[in-house]
Amino acid sequence: MGSDIRTARRIWSFVSGGLLYLSALGLAHTLASQYWPMSWQNLLGGSSSWTAQLGQALLIALLLYGFAWVWALFTVRPQRGHSRHPTTGWCLGGMGLAWLLALLVGVLEVSGKAGGYQPSLISLLLSSTVPPLWGALNGVAVMLAIVSAGRWSARQRRQRKARQSQLNSQLNSQMDSDLESTLDSRLERGLATARQGQAA
């Protein structure tokens, strides 16, 4: 029963990691396609400057990190009574497979375009709408979010286990002291009864 639950959790984490990455790519594409304020673009050197593209990529990656962290936390955290460790590795495996599929789709899309398609290196690395990488920072943000959520879950589990151990030791010491006081009182009553019997 326990091994079946562990296997199911691993499969779910793998599938969830893939869905997380694909959802993050869709969200990044939507955000990159939105209108960005002209004042913000001018502040960073114009809409076509590498600083504006970097600023947009960093902002999108930051939003994706928060989104992916919450998703990953619910995916990898140990379930009480069913598992002991976060399933971070399985979630990362699913994300890696989804990344390879997205890369393959991007390569096919690039190969299907006319020969004049030559995006700049900055756009190729940073833009969430340019295949085949679809924004390299997006994948890094999702991967870091999964790892961070897994470490946070493991730390929470260790702290909870330490608190439980401390509580158990306190309960055991309290039970020992209660048992000792009960035995002492019964022994005193027995001695008192024996003295009364001898006096009689």
Side-chain angles (χ1 to χ4, degrees):
M1 180 67 176
S3 61
D4 293 341
I5 293 174
R6 280 195 299 271
T7 302
R9 283 203 68 238
R10 289 170 180 171
I11 293 172
W12 158 244
S13 295
F14 187 85
V15 172
S16 182
L19 293 175
L20 168 58
Y21 184 72
L22 295 177
S23 300
L25 281 190
L27 178 60
H29 191 280
T30 302
L31 291 173
S33 303
Q34 297 300 314
Y35 171 77
W36 293 75
M38 191 61 68
S39 59
W40 189 76
Q41 294 180 14
N42 292 334
L43 181 66
L44 294 176
S47 59
S48 59
S49 68
W50 71 270
T51 52
Q53 292 181 39
L54 179 61
Q56 183 186 47
L58 287 173
L59 183 58
I60 290 175
L62 185 63
L63 293 173
L64 289 185
Y65 178 86
F67 165 75
W69 192 89
V70 174
W71 182 313
L73 180 64
F74 284 103
T75 299
V76 304
R77 69 179 178 177
Q79 302 295 322
R80 290 188 180 180
H82 296 302
S83 64
R84 298 179 178 177
H85 304 288
T87 53
T88 309
W90 290 90
C91 191
L92 284 173
M95 181 216 155
L97 179 61
W99 179 82
L100 285 174
L101 290 175
L103 184 65
L104 179 61
V105 168
V107 169
L108 292 176
E109 187 172 329
V110 169
S111 64
K113 293 193 176 193
Y117 177 74
Q118 291 182 343
S120 66
L121 181 61
I122 296 296
S123 296
L124 189 64
L125 290 174
L126 299 178
S127 178
S128 300
T129 58
V130 175
L133 296 179
W134 310 107
L137 289 179
N138 298 334
V140 172
V142 173
M143 182 181 67
L144 289 177
I146 293 173
V147 171
S148 174
R151 289 190 176 194
W152 190 84
S153 296
R155 186 168 60 247
Q156 290 294 109
R157 178 184 171 274
R158 286 193 301 269
Q159 291 175 354
R160 188 168 58 245
K161 190 174 179 181
R163 284 195 301 267
Q164 186 66 38
S165 176
Q166 183 180 8
L167 181 61
N168 287 340
S169 64
Q170 289 175 352
L171 286 174
N172 287 336
S173 63
Q174 181 68 33
M175 287 174 61
D176 290 342
S177 63
D178 289 346
L179 181 61
E180 186 177 349
S181 63
T182 302
L183 290 175
D184 288 344
S185 63
R186 287 183 178 178
L187 182 60
E188 288 176 2
R189 282 200 302 269
L191 289 174
T193 305
R195 289 193 195 103
Q196 289 176 359
Q198 289 175 356

